[in-house]
Amino acid sequence: MALGVGIVGLPNVGKSTLFNALTRTQQAAAENYPFCTIEPNKATVPVPDGRLEKIAAVCRPPTVIHATVEFLDIAGLVRGASKGEGLGNQFLANIRETDAILHVVRCFEDEDVVHVEGGVDPARDIGVVETELILADLQTLDKRLDRVGRQARADVALRKDVEAMDALKRHLDAGKPASAFPRAEGDPILPALAELQLLTDKRAIYCANVAEAGLGKPDPHVDAVKRHAAQTGAEVVVIAARMEAELAGMSDAERAEFLASYGLQESGLDQTVRQAYRALDRISFFTHNEKEARAWTIRRGWKAPRAAGVIHTDFEKGFIRAEVVHFGDYIRLGGEAACRHAGILHVEGKEYEVRDGDVIRFLFGA
């Protein structure tokens, strides 16, 4: 289950530069004028995970397959996008199916790079984009309300759904994101939220895009982003997108040396993926055989049969048991056979909750 991350922000905040950096490509045009991005840019990239490389070094399969994350970059949103201004609003539907939103916020001063709002002000810029996301959600909700409202005239059972959606509409009208709308198990609003995939109901990660010289230094613009994120418990990554773009064509060794020169241990992709996993409560487990070593992404708390179903639905349907070794033991002892011999490999049934870093062999019947 690859993660999907939609990239949003005002024009000229570095979204396309960041997209190129994260995906290590140059497919997204990055120029100094608004609406440089016309069509959505999309790329699927491997999730960096050094544990998988270490597992592969032990079992030596011919193929190593990382988990993946899909990034989608749309045109910049501007004030009034919901009323037809700019281009970004045309493509918001493209990111409704993503798991999280990466909101890029400009935190650098540069007279040569136009700012559509006239100057750098992260709190204001965040407000502009999030208002447009709320307005887009209202348009989506209104369409469903109109449809279900007409059906409710003949079906009394649907009236509770209409009441719930009316309450959500009042909530959005007040300028509050859908994520802040109260809900509990069994609430009539839950089917609507699941169907609509409202933009403001997704987990947000704020990306403070700074100048290279500002990396690792106190920055009032970055502080403003962090204060806003703290209000909702959102994650924040601080990235110099231009610097990250320079990493695209480098080897792993060159990349590590380049990052070290800035006092960094991980790239923007590493930071963003790590924060996305944490925000969305995702973990990784690993499998291997004579053909491949592979990482898989699941939600924290999933039990063994459901995790097996990510590999193939037949694995979940015919689940018998799971043979599990944790990553640390696998590396320390030098593989599955040594763990089995040491009595560390353990056999788990249907109630086993998969842990981050488990190396698993699933057994299933036809």
Side-chain angles (χ1 to χ4, degrees):
M1 50 183 300
L3 285 182
V5 178
I7 304 176
V8 303
L10 293 175
N12 280 8
V13 297
K15 293 192 308 90
S16 294
T17 302
L18 178 64
F19 176 85
N20 290 337
L22 292 176
T23 60
R24 296 178 183 172
T25 70
Q26 294 296 324
Q27 71 178 69
E31 303 293 345
N32 178 25
Y33 53 85
F35 315 125
C36 171
T37 300
I38 304 299
E39 295 295 330
N41 295 301
K42 187 175 184 179
T44 300
V45 300
V47 173
D49 194 329
R51 296 175 299 180
L52 179 60
E53 303 297 340
K54 291 179 180 179
I55 289 170
V58 171
C59 62
R60 298 185 180 278
T63 305
V64 178
I65 303 176
H66 287 259
T68 57
V69 59
E70 183 177 89
F71 288 101
L72 184 68
D73 170 38
I74 66 169
L77 292 167
V78 295
R79 194 185 300 272
S82 59
K83 298 179 181 178
E85 296 293 329
L87 297 170
N89 199 49
Q90 300 174 30
F91 306 116
L92 283 177
N94 290 292
I95 63 174
R96 290 201 181 277
E97 298 301 317
T98 60
D99 300 290
I101 287 178
L102 183 66
H103 185 162
V104 183
V105 185
R106 178 170 166 176
C107 293
F108 64 89
E109 305 279 354
D110 189 335
E111 294 181 357
D112 294 329
V113 179
V114 177
H115 194 298
V116 293
E117 287 286 330
V120 178
D121 184 339
R124 178 206 60 210
D125 294 352
I126 290 172
V128 169
V129 171
E130 294 190 344
T131 294
E132 294 305 323
L133 295 180
I134 289 173
L135 292 171
D137 280 348
L138 276 166
Q139 292 175 356
T140 301
L141 180 61
D142 280 340
K143 291 178 183 177
R144 193 177 198 277
L145 252 175
D146 180 64
R147 174 170 56 85
V148 179
R150 283 186 276 107
Q151 295 172 345
R153 294 170 193 164
D155 187 347
V156 177
L158 291 175
R159 291 179 185 174
K160 286 186 177 180
D161 295 345
V162 173
E163 290 173 1
M165 285 187 285
D166 277 331
L168 176 58
K169 182 177 180 179
R170 291 192 296 272
H171 175 90
L172 293 171
D173 275 329
K176 300 175 184 177
S179 59
F181 187 73
R183 69 202 73 175
E185 187 175 348
D187 282 356
I189 195 60
L190 295 181
L193 288 172
E195 177 185 327
L196 297 175
Q197 294 289 302
L198 297 179
L199 298 166
T200 62
D201 202 31
K202 297 182 182 298
R203 293 301 300 266
I205 301 167
Y206 294 92
C207 176
N209 184 15
V210 303
E212 291 181 36
L215 276 172
K217 298 178 181 178
D219 187 324
H221 293 325
V222 174
D223 291 342
V225 176
K226 290 181 177 179
R227 283 194 298 271
H228 181 87
Q231 295 173 13
T232 58
E235 306 287 350
V236 177
V237 294
V238 180
I239 292 175
R242 284 185 177 177
M243 185 205 76
E244 293 285 341
E246 294 180 43
L247 299 173
M250 296 184 183
S251 67
D252 290 342
E254 290 171 333
R255 192 176 299 115
E257 183 178 353
F258 186 82
L259 289 170
S261 70
Y262 283 89
L264 302 174
Q265 295 183 333
E266 57 182 356
S267 69
L269 173 61
D270 295 340
Q271 292 183 59
T272 301
V273 171
R274 177 168 50 80
Q275 297 287 31
Y277 267 59
R278 189 162 78 174
L280 296 167
D281 216 16
R282 299 297 204 272
I283 62 171
S284 295
F285 73 90
F286 308 99
T287 60
H288 69 80
N289 53 36
E290 66 281 359
K291 295 181 179 179
E292 67 180 34
R294 186 162 183 165
W296 306 88
T297 301
I298 61 171
R299 290 184 185 274
R300 189 181 303 277
W302 278 17
K303 294 182 178 179
R306 193 171 184 184
V310 173
I311 301 174
H312 197 287
T313 53
D314 287 347
F315 283 29
E316 181 174 9
K317 293 175 183 176
F319 178 88
I320 297 174
R321 64 181 183 272
E323 296 181 345
V324 183
V325 179
H326 196 64
F327 166 76
D329 294 328
Y330 184 95
I331 299 302
R332 178 172 58 85
L333 292 178
E336 181 182 304
C339 290
R340 189 186 300 273
H341 180 73
I344 291 176
L345 181 146
H346 47 107
V347 177
E348 302 289 351
K350 293 182 178 180
E351 295 304 309
Y352 177 69
E353 190 174 292
V354 175
R355 299 182 300 161
D356 185 44
D358 278 348
V359 183
I360 307 180
R361 185 180 298 276
F362 292 105
L363 285 82
F364 67 101

